[in-house]
Amino acid sequence: MRCVILSALLCAVCFSGMYAQRAVKIYDITANACASKTNAAGDGEFVRTAGVVTAVVKEGGEVCGVFVQDEFGDGDEQTNDAVYVRIAGADSLSAGDKIEVTGLVVRDGAVSEICRVADVSRFAGRYSVEPRKVVFPDDFSDYRDFVGMLLEFDQTLWVTSNYDLERYGQITLSGERLMTPTDVELPGSDGWKSLAENNRENCIILDDGSDERYPDHIGWYDGETPLRTGMMTDGLTAVLTDTERGYVLVADGQPEFYGNERPAAPEGLGDYEIKVCGFNLEYYLADSYGQGYGPDNASEAARQHAKTVAALRAVDADIYGLVEVQTGQKAIGKLCDALNDNTSGKRYEYVDDGSSTNGTYTKCGYIYRSDRVYPVGGIKSNDRGVKNRKKGQAFRMNGREATFVFLINHFKSKSGGSGATGGDADQGDGQGAYNEARVEEALSTVAFAEQCAEYYGDGDVLIMGDLNAYSMEDPVRSITDAGYVNLVKEMAGDDAYSYSYQSAVGLLDHALANSTMAGQVTGCSVFHINADEAAMYGYDGSRPGDDMYRSSDHDPVVVGIRLADDADVVAPDNSVAIVHGREEPGLFSVLNADRHYMKIVSVGGIVMCYTQITSDAQTFDARALGLGAGVYVLQFTEIKAIEPKQFVRKLILTE
């Protein structure tokens, strides 16, 4: 039964009386049966058509039009069964209304719409249309094929961005979890280009249907349940609309999201003795607020502090390598004091690097549990490139002759490339600006590691921190090419990530170990408390809270370690190649390694010697092998074994 004509929608002049009109189906309109008659002046044919409202479109808070779909369609997958009706003031219309409209059919390029609406009639009751099943992005070579139509996505869709969740009521969905191209493919390669193109095509926006900014209630989202990237939804039903911000989906009902729940503690660390964490704190400040970085005021700083401390306590590390901490000792001291409050006998201290406060300029630094470990020697700085952001410190376990060297780093950012020139200019290969500077920092870090090994008298080196480079980019490969193992990728998998940007995730925060150190690592994982979270939960967001989630924009990386004693680095099966080098200067013995090849490598990765072991107790003269004082890595491989085993040892030679 037809309702009364919506008088508010009547034009001042009844166009239906001025022009001939005929009844047509919507799919005939979209197939250009009528629109083809439209000329450049906008003159066309007045028609009458009917269908079900699938979406209401607003601009500036006011209704500007509706999408209407034929109730039954023509069954042709090649035609669009919906049309946009440009109509103002139809506040009483909503999705599910069946209406009949009379108006002028015009074309905008290849898209048809109805404008200059003469009258609108609404039918009583709620109506529905059968959604068209689609797969994204395979079926979306031309989005215009589906504009205005109710669609059912016959697949699982992943949330790949929630950056605009609060601001615009929008999230990005993709057919899979998207990886940053340079995290898995060589920069500038064909594989990189292909993946970058795939990522661009594999993103579609789900909108709440409102054009209001900062809404308290976002349509299909309750504003309280954490909607994290990496979550999924199955069988989404939504209407594709064409807006000023591009093609977006408006959900039909409440989508259900699942998966990737908030973690409570790091996992996958194995049977460790000590736990080491590298963590970018996103400009943790103790003062000097409102300088454009970090908290803008004391209130934001208090929230940042609470969330950061909650995150550090959840990690529960024995040693923290912290990035983006305010220079000087006040900020890192404040964190250390907070960790010492209510910690059930744990005792934290920080390494004083002697730096002074310099506004919002940040540094790297160390906090450690003094009841578990202690620093050996003074802290060392590598000031190649950005100062205060590449540090080295050796730590030893209490009551044990077990030491390792821990380097924490923060390489130069990709951003701010407007002033970059030469090799630092963005080369268009996915690595961004200042890549050459980061490569120089990486090479200096490798050299710095060797210097630290000699200074501290220990060749077990762990490099961690925010390198501002993804796994396959030049800076990271400069370190792995020097013999370091990418622990996160090796132990957490190729899809490991610590940062989310432009709907893709990748690893900016790394843990890299040389061969002797890698043999003592029991596990490595990324603690996903930040990168997947919406910005509204950050300390400067609208729903910050005091919990650890979105305490930073980077996830912490955590490494489990079981250190071997420095005197004898023993094989995993306690049987092969115990190395002694302290009986006589320049002489060392290799025991229990008969029928093995031995390779001697400097900490910097240079092969110094390659020989065969021919007895169970063989003595070598370091001078005859060309070895001076320093720390060396000894690699042993079984000869003619069915499944040859490899073992790594450490050799320290003094003058």
Side-chain angles (χ1 to χ4, degrees):
M1 182 178 66
R2 180 176 298 178
C3 293
V4 179
I5 293 176
L6 302 178
S7 58
L9 304 177
L10 289 175
C11 301
V13 179
C14 183
F15 292 105
S16 60
M18 297 174 59
Y19 296 90
Q21 57 180 276
R22 64 188 179 93
V24 297
K25 295 291 187 180
I26 291 175
Y27 45 76
D28 289 330
I29 295 173
T30 56
N32 299 322
C34 299
S36 60
K37 300 182 180 180
T38 307
N39 58 33
D43 298 323
E45 181 179 4
F46 264 80
V47 300
R48 183 175 70 257
T49 193
V52 178
V53 175
T54 55
V56 178
V57 181
K58 293 183 178 181
E59 291 179 2
E62 300 292 332
V63 174
C64 61
V66 294
F67 284 99
V68 182
Q69 183 172 338
D70 188 89
E71 188 174 2
F72 302 105
D74 64 352
D76 187 348
E77 296 293 326
Q78 303 303 313
T79 60
N80 190 323
D81 295 338
V83 69
Y84 180 64
V85 180
R86 187 174 296 278
I87 186 170
D91 295 320
S92 60
L93 291 180
S94 60
D97 288 339
K98 182 177 180 179
I99 63 173
E100 182 180 84
V101 299
T102 299
L104 180 70
V105 175
V106 296
R107 290 182 63 183
D108 179 9
V111 178
S112 303
E113 68 174 47
I114 298 175
C115 67
R116 296 173 66 182
V117 173
D119 56 60
V120 178
S121 298
R122 183 174 61 195
F123 295 82
R126 304 300 293 174
Y127 295 81
S128 62
V129 293
E130 187 71 19
R132 180 174 294 181
K133 288 191 175 184
V134 293
V135 173
F136 181 80
D138 299 2
D139 296 333
F140 284 73
S141 57
D142 192 340
Y143 281 70
R144 294 173 300 183
D145 293 342
F146 305 118
V147 170
M149 293 188 64
L150 183 66
L151 305 174
E152 179 184 346
F153 288 81
D154 192 19
Q155 65 188 123
T156 297
L157 290 171
W158 296 69
V159 179
T160 50
S161 176
N162 51 20
Y163 185 79
D164 287 328
L165 175 59
E166 185 177 36
R167 187 163 48 166
Y168 297 114
Q170 295 181 337
I171 60 174
T172 301
L173 300 176
S174 304
E176 59 186 327
R177 193 78 194 262
L178 305 181
M179 295 295 296
T180 301
T182 53
D183 201 64
V184 293
E185 297 286 352
L186 285 173
S189 67
D190 289 342
W192 167 78
K193 293 176 183 176
S194 176
L195 186 54
E197 179 63 24
N198 172 77
N199 285 2
R200 283 191 292 270
E201 295 179 351
N202 203 347
C203 290
I204 192 167
I205 293 172
L206 180 65
D207 188 90
D208 72 331
S210 169
D211 66 341
E212 298 177 13
R213 292 172 64 91
Y214 304 98
D216 292 327
H217 183 79
I218 305 172
W220 42 264
Y221 175 62
D222 61 16
E224 299 298 331
T225 305
L227 187 57
R228 291 160 51 90
T229 58
M231 297 182 77
M232 295 162 280
T233 185
D234 297 326
L236 174 70
T237 303
V239 178
L240 181 67
T241 65
D242 188 5
T243 70
E244 292 179 346
R245 298 192 72 204
Y247 295 104
V248 301
L249 296 170
V250 177
D252 180 45
Q254 173 67 53
E256 293 185 6
F257 294 94
Y258 65 93
N260 199 23
E261 298 177 355
R262 284 177 162 178
E267 298 179 349
L269 301 181
D271 184 21
Y272 63 88
E273 284 184 311
I274 60 173
K275 190 190 305 181
V276 180
C277 171
F279 194 3
N280 182 324
L281 301 187
E282 193 181 10
Y283 275 87
Y284 177 84
L285 304 179
D287 51 31
S288 301
Y289 313 131
Q291 302 298 311
Y293 300 96
D296 288 333
N297 49 57
S299 178
E300 287 187 0
R303 292 196 295 265
Q304 181 192 43
H305 176 74
K307 295 181 79 67
T308 301
V309 172
L312 294 176
R313 284 179 173 164
V315 172
D316 192 29
D318 298 295
I319 308 171
Y320 297 95
L322 303 179
V323 171
E324 286 196 20
V325 179
Q326 187 178 25
T327 51
Q329 313 310 314
K330 183 177 180 180
I332 197 167
K334 182 179 179 180
L335 284 175
C336 190
D337 289 343
L339 286 174
N340 280 321
D341 293 338
N342 304 315
T343 53
S344 302
K346 299 175 184 177
R347 183 65 192 174
Y348 294 91
E349 296 184 23
Y350 67 90
V351 178
D352 188 333
D353 64 355
S355 68
S356 58
T357 302
N358 181 15
T360 57
Y361 193 77
T362 63
K363 70 173 186 178
C364 294
Y366 300 95
I367 292 178
Y368 62 96
R369 273 188 61 180
S370 59
D371 59 312
R372 298 276 292 138
V373 298
Y374 64 95
V376 178
I379 189 171
K380 304 288 285 183
S381 292
N382 171 17
D383 286 335
R384 180 66 178 267
V386 187
K387 291 180 171 54
N388 287 314
R389 284 173 37 175
K390 291 180 288 296
K391 303 284 187 179
Q393 177 68 63
F395 290 91
R396 181 171 294 167
M397 294 184 65
N398 291 351
R400 290 268 309 280
E401 291 294 319
T403 309
F404 76 105
V405 179
F406 181 18
L407 273 56
I408 185 66
N409 302 269
H410 185 200
F411 288 1
K412 187 170 181 61
S413 171
K414 296 172 178 281
S415 62
S418 58
T421 59
D424 276 335
D426 191 334
Q427 305 297 308
D429 59 358
Q431 300 190 90
Y434 299 109
N435 184 58
E436 187 174 84
R438 287 190 295 278
V439 170
E440 291 178 359
E441 287 187 287
L443 294 174
S444 74
T445 297
V446 172
F448 181 56
E450 190 162 357
Q451 294 166 9
C452 285
E454 294 180 3
Y455 173 77
Y456 294 115
D458 194 285
D460 302 329
V461 181
L462 175 65
I463 298 173
M464 296 188 73
D466 174 8
L467 305 189
N468 269 310
Y470 293 103
S471 300
M472 295 300 289
E473 294 184 14
D474 298 337
V476 178
R477 288 190 297 113
S478 295
I479 299 176
T480 56
D481 286 349
Y484 284 78
V485 177
N486 189 328
L487 296 175
V488 184
K489 290 296 186 181
E490 286 288 328
M491 295 183 167
D494 290 336
D495 57 353
Y497 63 93
S498 67
Y499 193 74
S500 176
Y501 182 66
Q502 292 185 341
S503 301
V505 293
L507 200 63
L508 283 182
D509 306 84
H510 299 271
L512 305 157
N514 67 354
S515 54
T516 57
M517 188 72 234
Q520 300 171 76
V521 173
T522 59
C524 179
S525 65
V526 184
F527 191 25
H528 294 306
I529 57 174
N530 295 321
D532 290 321
E533 296 283 334
M536 70 175 77
Y537 299 112
Y539 66 81
D540 55 351
S542 64
R543 298 178 176 89
D546 291 334
D547 58 36
M548 64 180 167
Y549 303 105
R550 195 66 185 189
S551 52
S552 170
D553 54 346
H554 290 248
D555 287 328
V557 174
V558 190
V559 179
I561 300 172
R562 178 170 289 274
L563 288 173
D565 289 333
D566 292 341
D568 299 308
V569 181
V570 184
D573 62 0
N574 299 320
S575 63
V576 178
I578 298 175
V579 179
H580 300 275
R582 298 172 183 174
E583 297 177 359
E584 296 183 39
L587 297 181
F588 65 96
S589 299
V590 178
L591 308 180
N592 304 328
D594 187 20
R595 301 180 61 78
H596 281 70
Y597 289 116
M598 179 178 71
K599 182 191 295 184
I600 301 178
V601 185
S602 71
V603 175
I606 299 174
V607 178
M608 308 298 295
C609 173
Y610 188 81
T611 187
Q612 180 176 340
I613 305 295
T614 58
S615 70
D616 281 334
Q618 195 160 339
T619 301
F620 296 90
D621 186 339
R623 290 160 295 189
L625 298 176
L627 305 179
V631 179
Y632 299 90
V633 175
L634 276 61
Q635 301 174 349
F636 297 92
T637 305
E638 290 179 288
I639 300 173
K640 296 183 179 179
I642 297 176
E643 295 182 0
K645 295 181 180 179
Q646 293 183 330
F647 303 99
V648 178
R649 298 292 172 269
K650 175 173 57 180
L651 172 64
I652 302 174
L653 293 176
T654 58
E655 294 291 353

